[in-house]
């Protein structure tokens, strides 16, 4: 895979600096022990071309703060001031394409002990130009992984904890090496949890179904948005445990997430989901989502933080 095209400026040690100057020591606690928490936020170029629409910025900064509480991080920023820094950084980079923003709270101390308490914390942010994470032209082929989703009393999936992503990486490698696009992971109880970097919805008899937030999943912000979009469109939604075999009898399935956006799943474990094509409810939710993020739907304008950008 090619190196990612980072935007020229990052936020590091309290300042906006050229991204090449944002460097940490090899002894950094977070690098050695995975003691960090990150956010993944998308900004879409508005249809008018005059702003970047950051999708649900306050929700993302609040979740990051919650992840950092799990890491006992002591920071001199709160969710609101972090949101302001992110907007300032977008403005400084003045992107002319869709972007992905990665704020990162990490144990910046150089101590040798794997502990959370009393180690200096810091915060960094970088951004990159970003298109689609998955190819969107045909539904995904996925497998149920033999890797089990992290349980809450091992490393909480509820937070975006850096070290926890080893678990996703194991499942992703297994899936890709077996010729699939991605994996669905089950939790320790054998119930459906989520993808390696996205939440999962299935449709049965016209009802959207997604695993509960107590099911060892990330409390996904796109997931929460999909529930809202569906209810507003009169589509019933259930948040309940999903059995593995329900994946095989579902009428539709899709992943959702900041990277994944809303993407249809056409085949699970070699079995087509219905006729293997993108389903009707999936297409409806996709349309609502993309209209929202591109600023085409005033009804959901409140979900966007607009940062003005200048033409070249
Ligand atoms: N689950 C996992 C494991 C993820 O990494 C992500 C991506 N952040 C999601 C779900 C989707 O969450 P969100 O919609 O907040 O991006």
């Amino acid at each position: 895979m090619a190196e990612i095209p980072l935007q020229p400026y990052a936020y590091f040690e309290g300042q906006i600096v050229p991204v090449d100057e944002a460097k940490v020591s090899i002894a950094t606690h977070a690098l050695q022990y995975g003691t960090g928490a990150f956010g993944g936020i998308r900004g879409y170029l508005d249809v008018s071309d005059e702003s970047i629409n950051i999708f649900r910025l306050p929700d993302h900064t609040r979740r990051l703060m919650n992840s950092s509480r799990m890491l006992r991080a002591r920071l001199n920023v709160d969710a609101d001031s972090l949101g302001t820094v992110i907007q300032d950084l977008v403005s400084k980079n003045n992107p002319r394409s869709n972007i992905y923003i990665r704020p990162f709270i990490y144990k910046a101390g150089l101590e040798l002990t794997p502990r959370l308490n009393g180690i200096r914390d810091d915060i960094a942010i970088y951004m990159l130009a970003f298109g689609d994470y998955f190819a969107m032209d045909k539904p995904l082929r996925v497998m149920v992984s033999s890797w089990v989703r992290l349980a809450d009393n091992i490393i909480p999936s509820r937070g975006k904890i850096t070290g926890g992503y080893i678990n996703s990486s194991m499942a992703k490698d297994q899936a890709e090496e077996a010729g699939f696009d991605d994996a669905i992971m089950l939790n320790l109880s054998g119930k459906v949890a989520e993808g390696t970097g996205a939440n999962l919805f299935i449709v049965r008899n016209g009802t959207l179904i997604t695993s509960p937030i107590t099911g060892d999943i990330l409390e996904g912000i796109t997931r929460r948005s999909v529930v809202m979009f569906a209810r507003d469109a009169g589509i019933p939604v259930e948040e309940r445990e999903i059995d593995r075999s329900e994946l095989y009898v579902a009428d539709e399935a899709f992943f959702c997430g900041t990277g994944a956006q809303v993407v249809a799943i056409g085949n699970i474990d070699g079995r087509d989901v219905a006729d293997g094509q993108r389903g009707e409810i999936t297409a409806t939710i996709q349309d609502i989502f993309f209209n929202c993020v591109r600023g085409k739907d005033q009804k959901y304008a409140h979900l966007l933080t607009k940062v003005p950008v200048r033409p070249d």
Side-chain angles (χ1 to χ4, degrees):
M1 212 173 165
E3 279 206 12
I4 49 175
L6 295 182
Q7 296 277 301
Y9 293 97
Y11 179 82
F12 185 65
E13 297 182 339
Q15 292 178 55
I16 293 181
V17 297
V19 71
D20 289 345
E21 291 175 19
K23 298 264 162 65
V24 296
S25 163
I26 56 171
T28 302
H29 198 275
L31 190 59
Q32 296 296 328
Y33 295 113
T35 45
F38 61 96
I41 309 172
R42 266 193 193 259
Y44 290 85
L45 197 56
D46 186 74
V47 270
S48 68
D49 225 28
E50 288 170 0
S51 69
I52 291 288
N53 300 331
I54 308 180
F55 185 59
R56 304 201 78 161
L57 178 61
D59 299 88
H60 279 282
T61 52
R62 224 175 294 130
R63 184 177 66 193
L64 184 56
M65 286 298 155
N66 281 341
S67 295
S68 77
R69 284 163 75 187
M70 291 183 214
L71 294 176
R72 310 180 75 175
R74 289 194 199 90
L75 299 160
N76 48 16
V77 292
D78 59 13
D80 286 346
S81 54
L82 180 58
T84 305
V85 173
I86 289 172
Q87 290 177 69
D88 289 347
L89 187 63
V90 171
S91 190
K92 177 80 179 168
N93 278 312
N94 196 48
R96 303 299 301 148
S97 67
N98 294 344
I99 52 166
Y100 182 85
I101 306 160
R102 176 54 69 85
F104 179 50
I105 283 166
Y106 63 106
K107 298 275 167 207
L110 309 183
E111 285 88 340
L112 273 182
T113 310
R115 67 160 75 88
L116 298 173
N117 201 21
I119 300 192
R120 185 173 66 82
D121 300 285
D122 212 336
I123 184 155
I125 312 168
Y126 66 90
M127 292 171 33
L128 48 137
F130 200 49
D132 293 330
Y133 179 75
F134 287 115
M136 304 292 281
D137 53 341
K138 58 178 192 322
L140 302 179
R141 292 183 65 249
V142 306
M143 67 178 281
V144 175
S145 183
S146 62
W147 288 96
V148 173
R149 189 74 188 129
L150 285 167
D152 189 60
N153 59 355
I154 298 176
I155 297 177
S157 295
R158 167 168 291 103
K160 282 180 79 71
I161 309 293
T162 311
Y165 276 78
I166 299 288
N167 183 232
S168 289
S169 306
M170 293 289 195
K172 184 76 173 175
D173 277 6
Q174 182 186 34
E176 287 186 337
E177 283 160 25
F180 294 91
D181 297 308
D182 203 45
I184 293 173
M185 303 183 78
L186 308 181
N187 62 22
L188 271 173
S189 315
K191 303 297 179 188
V192 171
E194 59 183 336
T196 61
N199 292 113
L200 177 78
F201 281 81
I202 61 169
V203 176
R204 296 195 65 191
N205 303 316
T207 297
L208 261 177
I209 307 168
T210 194
S211 312
I213 56 166
T214 48
D216 296 319
I217 63 168
L218 182 73
E219 294 184 354
I221 290 162
T222 320
R223 172 187 175 281
R224 202 182 309 149
S225 311
V226 166
V227 169
M228 177 177 71
F229 295 150
R231 292 200 168 124
D232 288 353
I235 301 165
V237 182
E238 284 178 15
E239 295 182 49
R240 64 153 175 84
E241 285 183 340
I242 299 174
D243 282 332
R244 178 176 184 168
S245 60
E246 290 190 277
L247 301 174
Y248 301 157
V249 298
D251 304 319
E252 300 183 32
F254 63 85
F255 279 141
C256 71
T258 298
Q261 306 175 103
V262 177
V263 60
I265 297 172
N267 186 289
I268 303 174
D269 284 344
R271 298 149 156 97
D272 276 347
V273 178
D275 64 359
Q277 302 306 309
R278 183 179 64 154
E280 228 172 88
I281 291 180
T282 306
T284 303
I285 299 292
Q286 252 178 353
D287 284 350
I288 299 171
F289 174 79
F290 283 111
N291 284 336
C292 162
V293 296
R294 288 177 187 142
K296 289 185 186 169
D297 189 346
Q298 281 316 301
K299 183 171 166 196
Y300 294 121
H302 64 284
L303 301 181
L304 306 175
T305 301
K306 286 182 176 282
V307 179
V309 284
R310 303 171 304 279
D312 295 322

